[in-house]
């Protein structure tokens, strides 16, 4: 394979790895495994292309000083980010979580991947490569298919290794691993990006529910008249999951009977998520029989079975019900 063809392939493969990783964040249930396998194959295709890419790198290092220095920092940082993303991805598959630390292996993996995509674009702009008609030849296609097959075999090996190093049933299709302890105290106190736990007084806290232009405020005492329970899996994008019994009130109880549409749930921090209204949405005030702590969303947090943790809005203060489609918001929170 020519070095320039390897460059073109990497220009496609690295962003594709990011896209499939992004899809893993969106899927909390359903057909997750095919996306996970595709993500692994695409990532390992980067490894398979290393011999040809290394030829390009060595040729670049032999160029005159000024040409060699141009973009060298970007290239070096890009290489480091790709290596870090690969190593942390492999580490996570075999069960290295760092769940108790401030940064998990999955967070390192995602961060390195995002930076790698940005640097790939910058690198491509600095050293532009134009596709040629010969790049679309049958020989080139056969070579790429062969390399993809090698990456598929490597991915099968990685998955087999992960299956051998982890107990059966502790890894979900999303790639998340079950926490070592099922106790509530073992659940990490995590928030999306820069969201910070606010100080809320349970006595003065109120939940404002708006539907059909009418609003009503609910206190914790009023919500306590219901004792709905829901066993649900909290699957965090940090790479871990835990199954707990959550108790509180089903959100649909606070709306007119037979209501449909969607609800926008807002946190005291301004964080919001819009979701289809179903009977499975629970406004939890307790977990495993104990009141929620502030770090875990007290006084009230949303429980959304089948969706990743960033949909489980903490410190809920407002619910707006209408007929707007749930997909009108960004797929991932921006806050």
């Amino acid at each position: 394979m020519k070095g320039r063809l390897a460059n073109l392939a990497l220009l496609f493969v690295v962003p594709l790895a990011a896209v499939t990783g992004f899809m893993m964040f969106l899927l909390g249930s359903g057909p997750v495994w095919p996306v996970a396998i595709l993500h692994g194959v695409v990532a390992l295709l980067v490894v398979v292309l290393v011999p040809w890419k290394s030829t390009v790198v060595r040729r670049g290092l032999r160029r005159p000083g000024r040409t060699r220095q141009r973009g060298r920092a970007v290239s070096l940082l890009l290489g480091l980010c790709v290596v870090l993303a690969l190593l942390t991805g492999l580490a996570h598959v075999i069960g290295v979580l760092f769940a108790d630390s401030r940064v998990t292996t999955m967070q390192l993996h995602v961060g390195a991947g995002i930076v790698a995509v940005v640097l790939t674009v910058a690198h491509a702009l600095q050293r532009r490569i134009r596709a040629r008609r010969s790049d679309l030849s049958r020989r080139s296609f056969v070579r790429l298919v062969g390399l993809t097959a090698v990456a598929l075999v490597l991915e099968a090996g990685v998955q087999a290794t992960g299956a051998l190093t982890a107990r059966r049933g502790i890894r979900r299709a999303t790639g998340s691993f079950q926490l070592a302890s099922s106790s509530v105290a073992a659940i990490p106190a995590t928030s999306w990006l820069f969201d910070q736990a606010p100080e809320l007084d349970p006595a003065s806290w109120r939940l404002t529910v708006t539907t059909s232009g009418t609003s009503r405020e609910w206190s914790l005492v009023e919500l306590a008249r219901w004792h709905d329970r829901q066993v649900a899996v909290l699957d965090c994008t940090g790479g871990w999951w835990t199954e707990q019994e959550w108790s509180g009130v089903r959100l649909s109880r606070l709306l007119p009977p037979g209501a449909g549409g969607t609800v926008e749930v807002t946190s005291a921090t301004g964080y919001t998520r819009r979701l289809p209204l179903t009977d499975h949405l629970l406004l939890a005030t307790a977990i495993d029989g104990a009141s929620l702590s502030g770090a875990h969303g007290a006084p009230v947090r949303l429980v959304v079975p089948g969706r990743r943790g960033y949909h489980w809005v903490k410190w809920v203060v407002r619910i707006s019900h209408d007929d707007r489609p749930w997909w009108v918001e960004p797929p991932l929170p921006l806050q």
Side-chain angles (χ1 to χ4, degrees):
M1 176 179 286
K2 296 180 181 179
R4 65 181 310 278
L5 186 56
N7 280 340
L8 286 172
L10 287 169
L11 186 59
F12 172 76
V13 166
V14 174
L16 181 58
V19 170
T20 52
F22 175 77
M23 291 176 64
M24 291 290 293
F25 264 38
L26 298 182
L27 298 175
S29 59
V32 184
W33 271 116
V35 180
I37 296 299
L38 178 60
H39 180 64
V41 171
V42 171
L44 289 172
L45 188 55
V46 175
V47 177
V48 176
L49 288 168
V50 165
W52 292 273
K53 180 59 179 179
S54 63
T55 301
V56 177
V57 172
R58 289 195 299 270
R59 187 166 58 240
L61 292 176
R62 292 195 295 266
R63 291 175 181 172
R66 180 174 297 181
T67 302
R68 185 176 62 191
Q69 292 296 329
R70 185 173 55 193
R72 190 172 183 180
V74 173
S75 301
L76 178 61
L77 187 56
L78 172 58
L80 291 174
C81 286
V82 170
V83 170
L84 179 60
L86 288 169
L87 291 179
T88 51
L90 292 172
H92 182 78
V93 169
I94 63 176
V96 181
L97 301 180
F98 300 142
D100 296 330
S101 64
R102 294 182 64 86
V103 180
T104 66
T105 47
M106 180 55 64
Q107 289 169 334
L108 286 173
H109 176 70
V110 171
I114 292 174
V115 175
V117 171
V118 174
L119 292 176
T120 296
V121 175
H123 182 69
L125 291 176
Q126 288 180 341
R127 302 181 181 183
R128 299 188 179 186
I129 302 174
R130 294 184 179 180
R132 300 172 182 172
R133 185 179 297 274
S134 59
D135 295 332
L136 301 177
S137 66
R138 180 179 179 182
R139 177 177 297 180
S140 297
F141 177 75
V142 171
R143 286 173 176 170
L144 288 175
V145 170
L147 294 176
T148 302
V150 173
L152 183 59
V153 172
L154 292 176
E155 170 64 9
V158 170
Q159 293 296 334
T161 302
L164 292 173
T165 56
R167 298 194 322 274
R168 183 178 179 87
I170 71 169
R171 185 183 180 194
R172 301 194 76 222
T174 59
S176 295
F177 283 82
Q178 187 178 24
L179 292 175
S181 173
S182 60
S183 70
V184 175
I187 302 176
T190 58
S191 296
W192 184 262
L193 295 180
F194 308 110
D195 225 15
Q196 298 294 324
E199 294 185 4
L200 299 175
D201 178 14
S204 61
W205 173 89
R206 294 293 184 273
L207 171 65
T208 303
V209 179
T210 301
T211 180
S212 302
T214 303
S215 297
R216 175 179 172 177
E217 291 189 344
W218 298 82
S219 67
L220 274 179
V221 174
E222 291 174 310
L223 295 182
R225 73 176 68 167
W226 292 287
H227 302 282
D228 296 324
R229 299 179 184 275
Q230 176 82 53
V231 176
V233 171
L234 172 56
D235 189 338
C236 180
T237 52
W240 54 265
W241 67 269
T242 182
E243 185 177 55
Q244 303 288 343
E245 182 183 67
W246 308 81
S247 55
V249 53
R250 297 197 182 279
L251 194 155
S252 58
R253 291 188 184 277
L254 309 183
L255 297 171
T262 63
V263 287
E264 184 179 64
V265 184
T266 304
S267 167
T269 65
Y271 182 97
T272 64
R273 295 308 292 163
R274 179 175 288 275
L275 297 157
L277 176 60
T278 71
D279 286 336
H280 298 298
L281 296 182
L282 179 76
L283 294 170
T285 57
I287 175 174
D288 199 21
S291 297
L292 288 174
S293 65
H296 288 139
V300 170
R301 78 172 299 167
L302 183 67
V303 172
V304 192
R307 297 225 182 190
R308 302 301 296 272
Y310 60 85
H311 290 291
W312 294 42
V313 182
K314 296 180 177 181
W315 314 296
V316 178
V317 293
R318 187 168 63 254
I319 296 172
S320 299
H321 169 244
D322 53 44
D323 294 325
R324 296 177 65 190
W326 62 267
W327 43 262
V328 296
E329 64 181 4
L332 292 178
L334 301 179
Q335 181 174 347

